[in-house]
Amino acid sequence: MINSKNRLLSLILSLVILLSPFFQTNNFVIAKDVSGNSTKPVKNIILLIGDGMGTSHVTLGRIVKGSNLHMDLMPVNSTMSTHPAFQAEKWVTDSAAAGTALATGSKTYNGYISVDTNKKPLETILEKSQKQGKSVGLVTTTRITHATPAVFASHISDRDAENQIAEQMISKGVNVLLGGGRRQFLPSSQSGKRDDNKDLIDEAKKLGYQYIETRQELNKAKSGKILGLFNMTHMDYEIDRDKYKEPSLAEMTTKAISLLSKEDKGFFLMVEGGRIDHASHANDPATTALDVIAFDDAVKVALDFAKNDKDTLVIVTADHETGGLAIGGYGIYDFKPEEFKKQKISLEKLSNILDENNYEKEIKEKLGIPLTLEESNKIKKSLKEKSIEPILNILNKNSITGWASTAHTATDVPLMAYGPGSERFSVHMDNTDVNKIMVQLFGFMKKTLKKVS
Ligand SMILES: [Zn+2]
């Protein structure tokens, strides 16, 4: 009697063990990551990219802010290398190849938008996310068709073909598209850049998009697919932004998260601080610093959501470094961030209003610099040649800011992470690895993950 009871009991127990894999709460196989920790797939990923933001840019932002940045306090703080696919001597990437690496996990040539070195399309993490029923969004301060957002939702071997990129992005059905670049969506008859006479804003509306152009309209948006184009070209630098007209990157990020998180299958969101790069190409330190801080405000929005949600991974990184920025220079043991407080306008905007008659007054008013006679003569001469180089030299020397280049460099960029799976980013890695780990953590590559026994 006792024996057969035991046999029955062990039969039931075996059945329970055998059937247990079928009683899991989600569709994914429970997985082990490389560190051996058991983990279930991450529901949401927010990837924030500071375009051109090297480690010195982070230092600059922190010093100018006067306290730690939000990204400084993320528990995983590492570095990432950025080179493109090797083509002869190339170490220095552009945003297209670097973005492609982050979006697809593959190296490609500079100028290529999510196509491989043979110009074959590479599936992006945004497209993989859509296939799994997740909501997806792209937010930037550049034109939405610029390289970094483009690599997530289009495929083309020429980053400058922004009109075609705009078409691909709309037809892809990305739930949230917020940034600048109206001109790529409008025909030339409406001051756009399209000579095919297409009105993509109209087409987007037909495809179910709500279309908006102002900060007020963004505030009002409640649900559904949204296309927000807040400027004809790039959005303004933070230092120049009309705070009632254009939303901040943080405000766009807040809205994107609130729209995307309404769906229960999770979301993938890319947020780009796109103009850190432009200010660094221009070697304009105060404008660079304020755009880094504005990007960090968007990081805070993502972290606040993730802390509450507990199923969201936040990754902060850059596509490459721009400018070879140095905090200090000219052989001097000092740095004077207080000089930045005097600057009221970006050098780009200032150069548009300067002429030989107003420059002394404008430079004093907008940059807080009284000029010596020698400086004044130099600037007058350069303005005739449409150059503002002497002004830049004074600005950088006053604040003791060094720049090695007006282009990108191959130096490592920061890589920070918070949330489930963040420990996977705690060592130095290549940009392609960041994509591969994101894809794994989303549970898209089931066969490479081991079952927990
Ligand atoms: Zn650049």
Side-chain angles (χ1 to χ4, degrees), residues 2 81 148-149 186 211 255 295 330 340 353 375 378:
I2 292 165
S81 47
T148 307
L186 290 173
Y211 174 69
K255 183 60 74 174
F295 173 69
Y330 312 92
F340 298 141
I353 54 174
E375 287 168 340
K378 240 189 207 168

Side-chain angles (χ1 to χ4, degrees), residues 260-281:
L260 294 173
S261 60
K262 284 193 166 75
E263 307 298 324
D264 56 348
K265 282 194 169 173
F267 66 85
F268 173 79
L269 170 64
M270 191 289 296
V271 175
E272 184 198 24
R275 305 214 64 203
I276 298 166
D277 174 65
H278 298 156
S280 302
H281 278 286

Side-chain angles (χ1 to χ4, degrees), residues 51-52 93-95 146 159 274 276-278 281 319-322 406-408:
D51 198 311
T93 189
D94 76 341
S95 293
H146 214 237
R159 62 176 287 175
I276 298 166
D277 174 65
H278 298 156
H281 278 286
D319 47 358
H320 53 76
E321 197 272 351
T322 304
T406 53
H408 302 168

